[in-house]
Amino acid sequence: MTDNNTRASLSDCHTDALILHGLVQAMEELQGSTTPQAFQATGALLMMIERMAGCLSNDLEALI
């Protein structure tokens, strides 16, 4: 994720996509767990995935 003053490169977007993929895989690993820690981790992952996906979308749009 780049800051608001820096334009992302295609390489930055690729890296962000790889990170998002890993976050989704982590969420899949937590699926089915009913511990309080798993619920907390799932919520944190979901929030980060949403934030990164939005930034990635904006960064890709700027590259077009």
Side-chain angles (χ1 to χ4, degrees):
M1 284 187 326
T2 57
D3 61 35
N4 291 338
N5 299 327
T6 306
R7 184 173 175 178
S9 68
L10 192 54
S11 178
D12 294 330
C13 292
H14 179 251
T15 300
D16 287 348
L18 288 172
I19 293 168
L20 277 169
H21 183 257
L23 292 173
V24 170
Q25 285 180 321
M27 213 166 162
E28 288 173 351
E29 290 294 321
L30 289 170
Q31 189 175 9
S33 181
T34 58
T35 65
Q37 295 85 357
F39 285 124
Q40 210 171 24
T42 300
L45 282 168
L46 186 57
M47 187 174 74
M48 193 64 200
I49 289 167
E50 182 180 17
R51 182 180 300 156
M52 282 194 76
C55 288
L56 179 57
S57 175
N58 290 338
D59 289 344
L60 287 169
E61 186 176 358
L63 288 174
I64 297 175

